[in-house]
Amino acid sequence: MSPFDTPIDRRGSDSIKWNRYAGRDILPLWVADMDFAAPPAVLDALHRRIEHGILGYGGPWPSLTESVLAHLADEYDWSVEADWLVWLPGLVSGLNVACRAVDGDVLTAAPIYPPFLSAPLFAGRRLQRAELACTGKGWHFDRSALASALTAATRLFLLCHPHNPVGRCWRRDELLDLAAFAEAKDLVVCSDEIHCGLILDTDRRHIPFASLSPEAARRSITLMAPSKTFNIPGLGCAFAVIPDAKLRHRFERAMAGIVPHVNVLGLAACEAAYRDSGDWHRALIDYLRANRDLVSAAVKRDRRIKMEPVEATYLAWVDVRELGLSHPAAHFEAHGLGLSDGADFGTPGWLRLNFGCPRSTLDEALNRFGNACRTA
Ligand SMILES: Cc1ncc(COP(=O)(O)O)c(C=O)c1O
């Protein structure tokens, strides 16, 4: 039995995932956190930090920075200098700051995690949206769609890598193509790599956009965090990596007065996650891969439902358009399953299912999924 098999009751806690359906028999498989305890090394570090007793304003310390740099070097063969790091309380803050720091219109590719669609507008920028293509070879970038969405005023491309919700781990050739596009159009690329520790396919590796070449690095803002991989998003600890000093200063200026110090518990957890939680992480990936396979098998039982392979993340992006439902998310809720509504990602008719949960929860959820499909 795996430690991930043990259900932990989150009902009546502070969990936004579980409280959405409080008092109703609806399994919540929506927002992207997992129903697993954080790694033991992270919990130990938090206990030690609490024992200290004083919880004043905090900032990074040398062994924390070293753990981040060593993690990036070991996992992604990416050599990062300490000066390039800008600590943040979250990735969504980072996306919003990037839109304020870079003057001009913003381009992104949908379907996409909803803050990619709202951050440009909050910053008073025009949003240009291209559609990702899905043409029998899985999801991919459509270079001509990107080029026609772009205007002369576009200066920022928001990249989601790996991509939430379609689950792609972008390959080197695809990234090089994007880098060439960014170079040709003089775009800064803000690459949200929050899911980079969640590559499920054994033949895939995460390649940070900024690690492609010095030119890509120069025009990059990479956003990362231990939050998704180690299931600590409630601790609010993330960072940007910005190699170019001018761009980094613009980013820091845009943060001024708005973005608070990072939570000291998040910083303590980050060090232990990156430095001391490798075995836990490997076991998690095996567990999630098996969950992913159960979801794809369940989806295949109904010919009307479509899903491309999920290479990364614990999120399945499911096409239920052929069920002909006017409000798919409400229909699945009525059958006891709370999923994310594709409309929020810019594409109605799709649903996102979070399979980061114990197998017993997933089995029950997939039974309910099957019932909901049969009655549609
Ligand atoms: C692509 C992506 N970026 C950012 C976030 C949220 O980041 P944070 O909680 O650090 O703001 C999520 C959460 O699901 C996500 O999927």
Side-chain angles (χ1 to χ4, degrees):
M1 177 146 158
S2 156
F4 301 110
D5 276 330
T6 311
I8 299 174
D9 192 359
R10 301 179 73 188
R11 284 168 299 189
S13 72
D14 51 24
S15 163
I16 65 163
K17 185 183 190 184
W18 284 81
N19 286 347
R20 170 179 276 189
Y21 300 113
R24 298 157 74 193
D25 179 22
I26 298 179
L27 285 176
L29 271 62
W30 63 288
V31 70
D33 74 29
M34 300 187 280
D35 294 330
F36 303 136
V42 167
L43 297 175
D44 287 347
L46 290 171
H47 285 300
R48 281 197 303 278
R49 183 63 191 82
I50 293 280
E51 278 301 307
H52 183 266
I54 300 180
L55 299 168
Y57 295 119
W61 53 91
S63 63
L64 166 59
T65 304
E66 275 161 32
S67 77
V68 173
L69 302 187
H71 179 79
L72 300 178
D74 297 346
E75 292 287 317
Y76 312 118
D77 203 14
W78 185 24
S79 170
V80 166
E81 293 177 19
D83 285 353
W84 301 352
L85 298 181
V86 181
W87 289 88
L88 293 164
L91 269 276
V92 171
S93 304
L95 289 169
N96 281 275
V97 170
C99 290
R100 286 165 168 79
V102 180
D103 234 340
D105 296 355
V106 183
L107 175 67
T108 199
I112 187 69
Y113 177 60
F116 280 59
L117 302 174
S118 57
L121 309 178
F122 292 155
R125 308 296 191 202
R126 259 195 311 267
L127 169 69
Q128 281 120 21
R129 167 184 157 168
E131 302 308 307
L132 284 174
C134 188
T135 51
K137 283 184 302 173
W139 290 97
H140 51 274
F141 284 103
D142 176 347
R143 185 74 179 270
S144 65
L146 285 177
S148 47
L150 190 96
T151 69
T154 311
R155 289 280 75 81
L156 178 64
F157 178 59
L158 297 181
L159 170 66
C160 195
H161 173 42
H163 191 100
N164 171 9
V166 308
R168 280 297 319 281
C169 166
W170 304 116
R171 293 185 314 263
R172 183 177 296 277
D173 59 314
E174 294 170 300
L175 294 168
L176 285 170
D177 204 42
L178 283 179
F181 176 71
E183 194 71 29
K185 307 294 181 189
D186 193 21
L187 306 178
V188 169
V189 176
C190 178
S191 184
D192 175 335
E193 304 189 7
I194 195 169
H195 294 282
C196 64
L198 294 164
I199 309 299
L200 305 181
D201 281 358
T202 45
D203 59 349
R204 283 286 152 87
R205 280 189 73 76
H206 176 74
I207 302 168
F209 176 84
S211 73
L212 289 174
S213 67
E215 294 72 34
R218 194 173 52 78
R219 54 180 66 258
S220 69
I221 298 170
T222 305
L223 302 175
M224 283 188 171
S227 53
K228 296 288 160 186
T229 309
F230 300 95
N231 207 33
I232 47 174
L235 289 178
C237 174
F239 54 90
V241 182
I242 312 177
D244 183 76
K246 268 207 197 114
L247 184 56
R248 190 165 64 249
H249 295 148
R250 269 155 63 198
F251 188 90
E252 285 169 333
R253 257 202 314 279
M255 288 168 64
I258 305 175
V259 179
H261 295 283
V262 178
N263 179 333
V264 287
L265 297 179
L267 294 171
C270 179
E271 178 172 10
Y274 284 152
R275 199 190 49 213
D276 305 322
S277 304
D279 290 345
W280 183 95
H281 179 217
R282 278 181 284 280
L284 171 77
I285 295 297
D286 289 345
Y287 197 86
L288 290 177
R289 187 183 301 121
N291 275 7
R292 185 255 331 250
D293 294 345
L294 288 173
V295 174
S296 14
V299 161
K300 286 200 181 97
R301 281 183 210 121
D302 189 318
R303 284 170 180 279
R304 298 167 300 168
I305 313 287
K306 312 266 181 324
M307 186 183 107
E308 295 300 323
V310 182
E311 299 168 350
T313 77
Y314 47 78
L315 307 164
W317 183 239
V318 188
D319 180 357
V320 297
R321 286 174 298 180
E322 275 189 42
L323 295 182
L325 300 164
S326 53
H327 195 336
H331 175 81
F332 281 79
E333 279 174 9
H335 288 79
L337 198 52
L339 305 175
S340 300
D341 187 343
D344 297 337
F345 297 74
T347 47
W350 298 71
L351 294 169
R352 196 190 70 174
L353 181 152
N354 172 348
F355 54 82
C357 58
R359 199 109 341 123
S360 53
T361 310
L362 186 62
D363 286 343
E364 177 57 23
L366 294 177
N367 276 336
R368 294 180 184 196
F369 184 85
N371 288 339
C373 294
R374 274 189 291 280
T375 62

